Amino acid sequence: GQSLEQPSEVTAVEGAIVQINCTYQTSGFYGLSWYQQHDGGAPTFLSYNGLDGLEETGRFSSFLSRSDSYGYLLLQELQMKDSASYFCAAPDMDSNYQLIWGAGTKLIIKP
Amino acid sequence: DAGVIQSPRHEVTEMGQEVTLRCKPISGHDYLFWYRQTMMRGLELLIYFNNNVPIDDSGMPEDRFSAKMPNASFSTLKIQPSEPRDSAVYFCASSSTGLAGGPLTGANVLTFGAGSRLTVL
């Protein structure tokens, strides 16, 4: 079946770098997106990878390897405000190309 | 733009009552999505519309759930009768491009509303 797998929780220290992984199994491949959701908030779009390689947006970067069906979100110079859940998402042909979502990774940042 | 606007933000009701959730998408966005989020099941797509027409409602859990989009600026999700297991956060989202055409097309970026937290007692 179609699925995206992410770790349920990751812990890191303020100022450090953390990587959140996502492996996917979808019908066809149409790109991998990342969303951030703070507790009590709504998911907000962070980044997108349509092709292999690294996409950088400030402190956040996202990487994709289509041959490995794998991607990751890299957060640098962690700040306490980065404490949130991070979701990977990908369109799925069997779902009328709508996004299917990973279960989310809760990022806990310690001072 | 004010973003996607949802109401109510919080709703507490008793089992058996009718619940109506409302959504105003971003002007110009042709796609509107209703999602439900729970700890157990994560984010689930319930239904989506394109140009006010329901395209895929396969995620609607039961006949107790219905959604309408009478015009481009308004949609409702109704639960009748409500049950405790319907307790969740319901998100509305809108997008200008509903389908991802491939790696060169770009992301299907969804803009979410703040959500409606429903508690059914």
Side-chain angles (χ1 to χ4, degrees):
Chain A
Q2 295 76 38
S3 65
L4 291 92
E5 301 292 328
Q6 315 178 227
S8 60
E9 188 176 290
V10 171
T11 301
V13 177
E14 192 176 14
I17 299 172
V18 72
Q19 179 174 312
I20 298 173
N21 299 323
C22 174
T23 56
Y24 61 87
Q25 181 178 1
T26 59
S27 296
F29 179 74
Y30 300 90
L32 188 69
S33 296
W34 290 91
Y35 285 74
Q36 177 193 58
Q37 184 180 27
H38 288 98
D39 283 347
T44 56
F45 174 78
L46 281 180
S47 68
Y48 170 78
N49 293 78
L51 301 171
D52 288 358
L54 194 68
E55 294 286 337
E56 297 182 71
T57 309
R59 295 186 297 113
F60 292 6
S61 303
S62 57
F63 172 83
L64 177 67
S65 169
R66 287 178 294 166
S67 60
D68 296 324
S69 296
Y70 163 76
Y72 65 72
L73 181 68
L74 191 73
L75 294 82
Q76 303 182 71
E77 300 173 17
L78 284 172
Q79 303 176 8
M80 297 304 293
K81 67 178 181 179
D82 298 329
S83 296
S85 291
Y86 293 85
F87 295 85
C88 57
D92 184 79
M93 185 175 67
D94 288 348
S95 302
N96 208 12
Y97 299 96
Q98 292 312 309
L99 291 176
I100 58 172
W101 297 77
T105 299
K106 186 174 180 65
L107 175 60
I108 298 170
I109 300 174
K110 297 184 176 181
Chain B
D1 199 321
V4 177
I5 300 173
Q6 291 188 246
S7 65
R9 290 295 312 277
H10 301 275
E11 174 96 2
V12 179
T13 190
E14 292 188 346
M15 182 173 63
Q17 296 298 305
E18 177 179 295
V19 173
T20 299
L21 308 179
R22 299 171 178 80
C23 175
K24 176 180 168 53
I26 290 174
S27 177
H29 279 190
D30 294 332
Y31 290 83
L32 182 139
F33 306 82
W34 282 102
Y35 280 89
R36 178 171 69 176
Q37 187 175 39
T38 61
M39 288 295 292
M40 291 298 294
R41 300 175 68 92
L43 266 168
E44 301 174 276
L45 177 64
L46 300 178
I47 185 172
Y48 80 93
F49 295 83
N50 179 25
N51 291 324
N52 315 337
V53 176
I55 303 301
D56 187 349
D57 65 354
S58 60
M60 296 286 260
E62 300 173 29
D63 291 344
R64 298 185 295 107
F65 286 70
S66 62
K68 295 181 179 180
M69 192 165 185
N71 57 62
S73 59
F74 183 66
S75 177
T76 60
L77 178 67
K78 187 174 293 188
I79 309 172
Q80 167 63 19
S82 59
E83 297 182 3
R85 59 186 166 140
D86 301 331
S87 298
V89 180
Y90 291 81
F91 286 104
C92 174
S94 69
S95 170
S96 60
T97 57
L99 303 180
L104 299 181
T105 302
N108 173 11
V109 178
L110 271 62
T111 302
F112 285 78
S116 295
R117 181 175 294 276
L118 173 64
T119 302
V120 183
L121 303 174

